Amino acid sequence: MAKIIYTLTDEAPFLATHSFLPVIASFAKTAGVEVETRDISLSGRIIAQFPERLTDEQRVDDALAELGELARTPEANIIKLPNISASIPQLKAAVAELQSQGYDLPDYPDEPTTDEERDVRARYDRVKGSAVNPVLREGNSDRRAPLSVKNYARKHPHRMGAWSADSKTNVSTMGVDDFRSNEKTWVAPADDTLTITFVAADGAEQVLKQSIPVLAGEVVDGTVLHVAALERFLREQIQRADDEGVLFSVHLKATMMKVSDPIIFGHVIRAYFPDVFAQYGADLTAAGLTPNDGLGSVLAGLDALPNGAEIRKAFEDRIADGPDMAMVDSDKGITNLHVPSDVIVDASMPAMIRTSGHMWGPDGEEHDTLAVIPDSSYAGIYQAVLDDCRANGAFDPATMGSVPNVGLMAQKAEEYGSHDKTFELPGAGVVRVTNAAGETVLEHDVEPGDIWRACQTKDVAIRDWVKLAVTRARATGSPAVFWLDESRSHDAALIELVHRYLGEHDTDGLQIEVRSPEDAMRFSLERIRRGEDTISVTGNVLRDYLTDLFPIMELGTSAKMLSVVPLLGGGGLFETGAGGSAPKHVQQLVQQDYLRWDSLGEFLALAVSLEHLAGVTGNQRAQVLADTLDRATGTFLDEDKSPGRKLGSIDNRGSHFYLAKYWAEELAAQTVDTELAAAFQGLATLLGEQEHAIVEELVAVQGKPADIGGYYRPDDAKTSAVMRPSATLNAALASL
């Protein structure tokens, strides 16, 4: 029997689930729709890796592996909330919390030396970074702003910072000796097996990765970032920021690019603190303190060193004397370099653009900024936006058009599938990719410390991506633009395939074209300033970047996007939006019992999940639930019942009450299923009559600390008590 799987994840979305899931369960059960949960939280994924160390009560199933299998079947109907894409510091913090809760978990071994430590490291490596998305995303991405959300944003535009024509904010990128410029591509002529080998200058060979299966037509890329060039580039940008009097910031994706980008992050810290590392680098290394984990991690470990105070002062002196850094929290002295997962490019760049091209400085004020994005693959799109804002001013959410996205991401496509094929090279030599016959298909000269990576993109995913682009262009009438650069090796191969597969579809009357990312950005910006929509058809990384950039400009947040993944096996994955601000929301809940998380993404995903279920099973009541939820969400937006910004207004829990109220009223009023209408009549009346009492109960708890029993593994009973404080609402839902 087909059913909806609702995922339990992390941070604010997980807390919100404790409030919203009882609503879903009550409504769905009454309509005969089955809803189950699966725990794919960071803590749950960690626990699942070590069953032999835990008690029967502590063990959990590997829910992610189970859902990965389900995602390949026609029965899949998965609602996926934002989860932590764990950096190493986050992973270590989660392990420490679980250990404090009685879980006998091993520490994360930074430098494994025994077989046991290597096994532990391998298990943790399966959890860190974006471990969830590649497993569940067995399809390509269709992300767009629903009409109700877009109309609300036009009627209630969010604030956009004014732009000055003399803004000194810019993007800086390498352009040479980086991943983009060194990329080489090979398309498999037949099914094959590849091996990646490092051949040292003295001829010694080390197999880096063996037995990589590839399918006929699969696009395979290999590339290298030369670290000597990276270090020169970083020194130049730090000096440039100083010369221009702007903040220095770096923007990476240390969560999704979990091998390469923490290494690059470490090089940025070394470049900013050259004298400190020249004098104390050996001490830090001996103590296991690596800048790859961020400046905050290094500073936190200094107390254990005999000369820790001396080293700390050296860091503080350089921060005081060096170019001003962009700050994550200027009040607490948390810089852009403190935590690799604090400044993620797809969230940090749109926030800067929305705020007049500014980031926060050490003085607590906004300043122009030099945004350093080392690899040039996609950095140019952000420079294009900065140039447009400098010339034309801020965008107007009340009038601007929309840029929905069709993203190539199925089956670990492109860079986000490169984790297990990314290596920091131990010496000079050659990295060589060979096929089963021993023939070399790709190779690069490398130097010590260079970062080499390979990625794969399957032909079935590309073919489906093109089909989805045509489908969306036909459905909307908007132009569809493939963001591909013929001067880049990977993109050139894709352009050829795009033209081939477009020939399999009826494209008469459709505007479908290929443009380089920078040109596509300029074209899209011109159109959205005229209020026109343009479908962006992109690879996996640009999908990630653009589905934050444009929603943040259009709607104020990417959490309000509808994200549908039509799975290749025939099922559906429905994602609920971004979780970038989730940590701050948790902090506020713990301090003030107030959760600002907006669950609109969950409402939107649930509606299309129900619609999909109805289409697959013929369950008419699931369709009624979907249609009425759609209308209820429209009322919810029109009545402005999203969480407020200040104590005393409704928070996430209050927004769930109003959604339930409007949904019950729509169900009671619909005429498609009179028996179902009668079943909800009592609840609709009850929630209407008790609105004042319920809101009072929900608001009354605000302003004091809340105990949820943990950050990464909250206690279920405590969390439910915090997130369901209205006895009146709880009783009303139970009455169903």
Side-chain angles (χ1 to χ4, degrees), residues 27-103:
F27 280 60
K29 183 178 180 181
T30 305
V33 173
E34 192 173 353
V35 179
E36 293 183 359
T37 60
R38 295 293 185 278
D39 180 1
I40 59 169
S41 65
L42 174 59
S43 62
R45 301 191 323 262
I46 291 171
I47 294 168
Q49 294 299 315
F50 298 96
E52 76 283 0
R53 301 178 66 111
L54 305 177
T55 66
D56 290 343
E57 293 75 19
Q58 291 174 328
R59 291 189 192 112
V60 299
D61 293 332
D62 190 341
L64 180 59
E66 177 194 343
L67 292 187
E69 293 298 320
L70 178 64
R72 296 184 176 92
T73 69
E75 292 76 32
N77 189 328
I78 304 167
I79 297 177
K80 190 256 172 192
L81 278 70
N83 61 278
I84 291 175
S85 295
S87 63
I88 291 176
Q90 287 174 303
L91 178 60
K92 290 178 177 178
V95 171
E97 179 178 297
L98 289 167
Q99 290 170 337
S100 74
Q101 294 174 347
Y103 290 87

Side-chain angles (χ1 to χ4, degrees), residues 489-619:
S489 178
H490 169 81
D491 286 11
L494 257 62
I495 289 171
E496 183 179 332
L497 294 171
V498 165
H499 288 310
R500 180 190 306 172
Y501 295 144
L502 282 173
E504 299 176 353
H505 302 280
D506 174 16
T507 59
D508 286 351
L510 303 182
Q511 183 181 346
I512 299 177
E513 53 189 280
V514 176
R515 293 174 179 260
S516 73
E518 291 82 0
D519 187 31
M521 177 60 81
R522 288 187 287 268
F523 176 73
S524 301
L525 294 177
E526 289 170 5
R527 289 180 55 82
I528 63 174
R529 284 192 182 276
R530 297 197 299 264
E532 299 170 342
D533 299 345
T534 312
I535 301 169
S536 59
V537 189
T538 72
N540 203 356
V541 173
L542 276 176
R543 170 203 60 80
D544 206 10
Y545 291 7
L546 299 187
T547 56
D548 269 333
L549 174 64
F550 286 111
I552 286 173
M553 292 196 299
E554 294 175 38
L555 314 173
T557 174
S558 57
K560 296 181 179 180
M561 291 286 280
L562 177 61
S563 182
V564 178
V565 182
L567 298 171
L568 299 178
L573 174 68
F574 309 96
E575 300 190 75
T576 68
S581 58
K584 292 182 180 179
H585 290 171
V586 179
Q587 291 162 13
Q588 186 177 15
L589 177 88
V590 170
Q591 293 166 3
Q592 301 177 320
D593 204 350
Y594 189 86
L595 186 66
R596 271 183 53 199
W597 177 259
D598 190 340
S599 289
L600 179 61
E602 288 98 290
F603 306 162
L604 301 172
L606 178 60
V608 289
S609 169
L610 288 163
E611 186 174 39
H612 178 80
L613 185 75
V616 169
T617 64
N619 183 336

Side-chain angles (χ1 to χ4, degrees), residues 404-485:
N405 180 264
V406 172
L408 173 59
M409 69 176 192
Q411 301 187 343
K412 304 181 183 179
E414 302 186 317
E415 294 98 328
Y416 285 170
S418 67
H419 315 311
D420 61 343
K421 297 176 289 293
T422 300
F423 309 96
E424 187 176 24
L425 280 309
V430 175
V431 174
R432 186 170 292 145
V433 182
T434 54
N435 63 11
E439 301 164 333
T440 299
V441 299
L442 297 169
E443 72 174 13
H444 290 88
D445 293 331
V446 297
E447 296 295 330
D450 284 357
I451 307 168
W452 188 94
R453 76 176 185 216
C455 50
Q456 302 164 247
T457 312
K458 290 180 171 54
D459 183 66
V460 65
I462 299 167
R463 190 186 295 261
D464 179 78
W465 177 55
V466 173
K467 174 186 174 184
L468 185 56
V470 173
T471 300
R472 294 305 303 157
R474 178 71 66 191
T476 62
S478 298
V481 180
F482 285 84
W483 294 43
L484 298 169
D485 188 343

